[in-house]
């Protein structure tokens, strides 16, 4: 009986041929509506390819507009382009939200050249030095993308950026390291020195939100790769494009399409209809960023859960820190975790603010001392709560 059930599930008709083509990390063959931006980026790298000099470029734009995928696509082309000109150029893409300290970034780079590098035992300076020596020794060049750099700089300051810029210059050899910085806004530029600031301002590729038409083209292209022919109705694509166009966010649009497809399979519908898209919309929100939430540390997730719960229960716009701490302790107890102390909680909150997950403001009440008001940006807290409960269940109860 179970054998049959297994076979039935495996052989069951699905609307998908390959779901993974809809996941956020997948780099599609073609970028739709980004040719101009690709050309602009290429133009900035002309001196790098022609004269083996170095370059610094900034890519900015709001959430889900293709900053990461543009840089990766460009990186893929860079290697063969350098090869055609008889030199070696590597491309490394580092997400600075995940690799959140200078050590982690530099370790990631150094271990690209030395995969057996032990996880500990080197200072950031040594790691950088190792990389520079490797590049010099092999007469190689490197283009490094520092993705989501705004969060990183907010937390760590700009020193990493400076030491990377200086790194290969000081050794007297040509500067072998080019940098592509990616950020949501250009606010982080304010903390940089005027020279670096002005380089980035001049060498900048700005991506705008996608329109409904553009989103529809992106969805159609991806649907071709992910679904069986004709499995997605045209109306479904235009509905999703319309929904997502309010944010101009392609990641959100693709996630809606994926969910809609999963609903279609659940119902064994054989086709993805607008109704599936509507159901998907009730479950996905562009500002409930799954990958960001899932990469938080355990106690940051617990704090976030406590915050979402308080906001839902009180129906208010914000929660005071004392109140949040209590709710956090309750959450810790529920998940069998020992709660952290005051100072640590403040550190977590600072980081979560840096990630754009929460908003922290003075309480505005004279008797509340250091107390602050904490709120979340415009997201449905119920959805946030559910998402965190899912994550925590996986993490804590294994
Ligand atoms: N022009 C495009 N053509 C095809 N797919 C695209 C395009 N732009 C974005 N996408 C897809 O949309 C999703 C989001 O894009 P990406 O991750 O590059 O956004 P981002 O600007 O880096 O967002 P964030 O600020 O959140 O990091 C990815 O799955 C990406 O492949
Ligand atoms: Mg990105």
């Amino acid at each position: 009986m179970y054998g049959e059930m297994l076979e039935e599930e495996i052989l069951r008709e699905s609307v998908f041929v390959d779901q993974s083509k809809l996941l956020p990390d997948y780099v599609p063959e073609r970028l739709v509506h980004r040719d101009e931006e690709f050309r602009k980026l290429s133009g900035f790298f002309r001196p790098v390819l022609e004269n083996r000099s170095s370059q610094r470029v900034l890519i900015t734009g709001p959430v889900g507009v293709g900053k990461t995928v543009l840089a990766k696509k460009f990186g893929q082309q860079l290697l063969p382009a350098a090869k055609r000109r008889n030199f070696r150029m590597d491309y490394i893409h580092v997400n600075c939200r995940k690799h959140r300290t200078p050590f982690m970034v530099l370790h990631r780079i150094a271990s690209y050249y030395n995969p057996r590098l032990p996880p500990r035992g080197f200072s950031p300076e040594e790691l950088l030095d190792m990389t520079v020596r490797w590049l010099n020794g092999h007469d190689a060049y490197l283009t490094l993308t520092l993705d989501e750099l705004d969060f990183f700089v907010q937390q760590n300051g700009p020193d990493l950026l400076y030491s990377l810029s200086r790194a290969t210059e000081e050794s007297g050899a040509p500067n072998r390291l080019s940098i592509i910085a990616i950020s949501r806004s250009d606010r982080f530029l304010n903390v940089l020195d005027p020279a670096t600031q002005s380089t980035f301002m001049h060498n900048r590729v700005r991506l705008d939100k996608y329109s409904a038409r553009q989103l529809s083209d992106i969805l159609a292209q991806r649907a071709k790769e992910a679904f069986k022919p004709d499995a997605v109705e045209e109306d479904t694509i235009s509905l999703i494009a319309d929904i997502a166009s309010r944010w101009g966010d392609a990641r959100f649009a693709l996630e809606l399409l994926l969910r809609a497809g999963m609903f279609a399979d659940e119902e064994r519908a054989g086709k993805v209809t607008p109704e599936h898209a509507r159901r998907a919309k009730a479950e996905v929100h562009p500002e409930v960023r799954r990958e960001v939430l899932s990469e938080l540390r355990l106690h940051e997730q617990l704090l976030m859960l406590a915050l979402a719960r308080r906001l839902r229960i009180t129906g208010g716009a914000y929660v005071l820190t004392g109140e949040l701490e209590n709710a956090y302790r309750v959450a810790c107890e529920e998940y069998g975790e020992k709660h952290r102390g005051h100072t640590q909680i403040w550190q977590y909150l600072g980081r979560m603010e840096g990630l754009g997950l929460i908003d922290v403001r003075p309480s505005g009440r004279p008797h509340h001392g250091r107390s602050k008001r904490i709120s979340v940006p415009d997201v449905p807290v119920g959805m946030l709560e559910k998402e965190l409960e899912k994550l925590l269940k996986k993490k804590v109860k294994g």
Side-chain angles (χ1 to χ4, degrees):
M1 173 187 151
Y2 286 106
E4 267 165 45
M5 251 153 88
L6 172 72
E7 288 305 321
E8 230 176 79
E9 282 308 303
I10 288 171
L11 296 174
R12 189 162 108 188
E13 279 292 301
S14 164
V15 290
F16 293 106
V17 280
D18 187 356
Q19 280 194 21
S20 73
K21 299 281 164 73
L22 294 170
L23 297 180
D25 286 341
Y26 173 69
V27 178
E29 201 54 47
R30 275 190 58 84
L31 296 185
V32 191
H33 298 297
R34 286 292 184 229
D35 285 2
E36 206 179 298
E37 290 82 359
F38 189 94
R39 282 181 193 282
K40 190 159 182 195
L41 186 52
S42 305
F44 289 133
F45 271 77
R46 195 172 160 162
V48 178
L49 287 165
E50 280 187 339
N51 312 322
R52 303 190 194 184
S53 64
S54 74
Q55 184 58 295
R56 279 174 291 174
V57 181
L58 176 65
I59 301 178
T60 58
V63 179
V65 294
K67 300 180 296 294
T68 299
V69 80
L70 175 67
K72 285 189 174 162
K73 203 80 211 161
F74 181 71
Q76 286 174 357
Q77 297 308 314
L78 212 45
L79 317 186
K83 202 166 174 199
R84 286 195 288 274
R85 289 164 181 80
N86 299 316
F87 70 104
R88 171 170 176 167
M89 159 80 78
D90 292 302
Y91 176 80
I92 305 181
H93 192 109
V94 185
N95 185 306
C96 300
R97 180 167 48 75
K98 287 185 203 166
H99 298 270
R100 57 177 185 272
T101 62
F103 171 83
M104 287 166 94
V105 171
L106 292 166
H107 192 275
R108 165 89 169 64
I109 303 167
S111 52
Y112 178 89
Y113 293 112
N114 178 7
R116 279 180 305 179
L117 191 68
R120 277 169 227 292
F122 297 98
S123 69
E125 294 73 28
E126 286 167 327
L127 291 168
L128 181 56
D129 194 51
M130 230 180 258
T131 304
V132 171
R133 263 184 291 135
W134 198 98
L135 291 172
N136 286 336
H138 292 76
D139 192 20
Y141 293 75
L142 170 64
T143 295
L144 173 68
T145 290
L146 298 171
D147 202 346
E148 309 203 29
L149 183 63
D150 30 3
F151 297 136
F152 183 93
V153 168
Q154 214 167 12
Q155 294 279 306
N156 302 290
D159 291 352
L160 175 70
L161 208 51
Y162 299 153
S163 42
L164 283 170
S165 303
R166 274 194 313 261
T168 57
E169 272 164 14
E170 279 171 351
S171 56
N175 195 350
R176 298 172 176 278
L177 184 66
S178 292
I179 292 174
I180 299 177
I182 299 183
S183 76
R184 295 262 169 84
S185 80
D186 46 22
R187 243 176 308 154
F188 87 100
L189 290 176
N190 298 338
V191 303
L192 305 181
D193 67 39
T196 314
Q197 228 176 69
S198 110
T199 312
F200 279 138
M201 292 295 258
H202 283 105
N203 302 343
R204 170 161 163 181
V205 182
R206 224 190 275 245
L207 306 189
D208 290 324
K209 291 182 175 177
Y210 291 115
S211 66
R213 282 243 358 244
Q214 291 175 323
L215 287 171
S216 168
D217 292 338
I218 292 171
L219 287 164
Q221 176 234 37
R222 205 66 77 84
K224 252 191 252 161
E225 296 185 47
F227 292 92
K228 288 187 181 146
D230 299 321
V232 186
E233 290 183 3
E234 248 175 62
D235 282 356
T236 312
I237 300 237
S238 38
L239 177 64
I240 294 179
D242 279 342
I243 296 171
S245 68
R246 202 178 127 201
W247 292 272
D249 176 343
R251 180 189 296 103
F252 177 45
L254 290 166
E255 190 172 357
L256 284 174
L257 184 58
L258 173 64
R259 288 294 180 106
M262 289 160 82
F263 281 131
D265 272 1
E266 231 173 76
E267 287 178 7
R268 304 170 194 234
K271 269 199 186 296
V272 192
T273 64
E275 185 55 22
H276 295 130
R278 279 187 284 269
R279 276 182 64 193
K281 185 188 170 224
E283 287 222 338
V284 194
H285 191 279
E287 281 161 85
V288 181
R289 301 286 305 284
R290 273 186 188 74
E291 77 279 21
V292 176
L293 292 176
S294 70
E295 284 153 12
L296 289 178
R297 284 172 258 190
L298 175 63
H299 281 263
E300 292 169 337
Q301 290 175 337
L302 287 165
L303 270 168
M304 201 67 204
L305 174 66
L307 178 60
R309 282 180 175 171
R310 279 315 290 166
L311 288 169
R312 180 177 56 75
I313 293 166
T314 61
Y318 59 84
V319 169
L320 290 172
T321 28
E323 205 184 332
L324 175 62
E325 253 189 87
N326 290 336
Y328 157 75
R329 288 186 188 196
V330 174
C332 287
E333 207 161 290
E334 178 185 344
Y335 287 93
E337 279 293 315
K338 195 169 159 332
H339 64 79
R340 301 283 192 263
H342 205 66
T343 322
Q344 182 95 64
I345 291 178
W346 274 102
Q347 267 171 19
Y348 290 146
L349 291 177
R351 211 176 83 85
M352 286 151 68
E353 187 185 23
L355 289 168
L357 288 170
I358 61 171
D359 210 40
V360 182
R361 275 160 211 264
S363 77
R365 298 188 188 178
H367 306 300
H368 283 248
R370 289 210 319 135
S371 171
K372 300 251 159 103
R373 304 168 155 198
I374 315 233
S375 59
V376 297
D378 180 27
V379 310
V381 284
M383 227 183 247
L384 192 60
E385 190 181 341
K386 256 199 236 151
E387 201 53 43
L388 284 157
E389 281 170 351
K390 247 192 264 167
L391 286 169
L392 282 162
K393 212 191 264 160
K394 260 192 235 153
K395 205 178 250 183
V396 177
K397 300 189 173 142

